[in-house]
Amino acid sequence: MLLSANPVNVQELAGLRRQVTLLAETLEKMRLAEYIAYLNRPGRLLWFNFLVGLVRGLGTALGAGLLAGIAYFLLKRIVVLNLPVIGGLIAELSKYVNQP
């Protein structure tokens, strides 16, 4: 039995065609095929994640070192001001930092 080409079926087919076209465009924008190909290569996935972890760790270490250096520099400047309570505390901290 053949379906007749009545207006309801034609409108439904046109709506489905638009939705399928929209879905195809969305999947293309998401680059889903490239992502699936990336996931199917576990060696490359592991290597990439390893490198990202190294860069994050290096950035964290450099950032923490920079902030600690700035804090130490500012604390040494406060010692020069000769504030009674804070100056003594910072001088003692400076002794610990300068120990070998």
Side-chain angles (χ1 to χ4, degrees):
M1 183 169 153
L2 294 172
L3 293 174
S4 63
N6 61 24
V8 174
N9 287 340
V10 172
Q11 288 176 351
E12 287 178 7
L13 288 175
L16 285 174
R17 182 175 290 128
R18 278 193 304 269
Q19 288 179 349
V20 168
T21 303
L22 181 62
L23 179 62
E25 288 173 359
T26 302
L27 290 175
E28 190 64 33
K29 286 178 186 175
M30 290 174 44
R31 296 170 41 184
L32 185 64
E34 293 174 17
Y35 181 67
I36 291 173
Y38 176 70
L39 291 178
N40 286 331
R41 296 175 63 191
R44 182 172 181 200
L45 182 64
L46 287 172
W47 179 249
F48 182 74
N49 284 329
F50 174 73
L51 290 177
V52 168
L54 282 177
V55 170
R56 282 184 184 157
L58 181 64
T60 301
L62 290 175
L66 182 67
L67 286 177
I70 290 171
Y72 182 70
F73 176 76
L74 291 175
L75 290 175
K76 283 184 78 172
R77 290 286 188 171
I78 291 174
V79 169
V80 172
L81 294 176
N82 225 2
L83 299 174
V85 176
I86 298 174
L89 181 67
I90 295 172
E92 193 172 322
L93 178 67
S94 180
K95 287 179 192 175
Y96 287 122
V97 170
N98 290 328
Q99 283 181 352

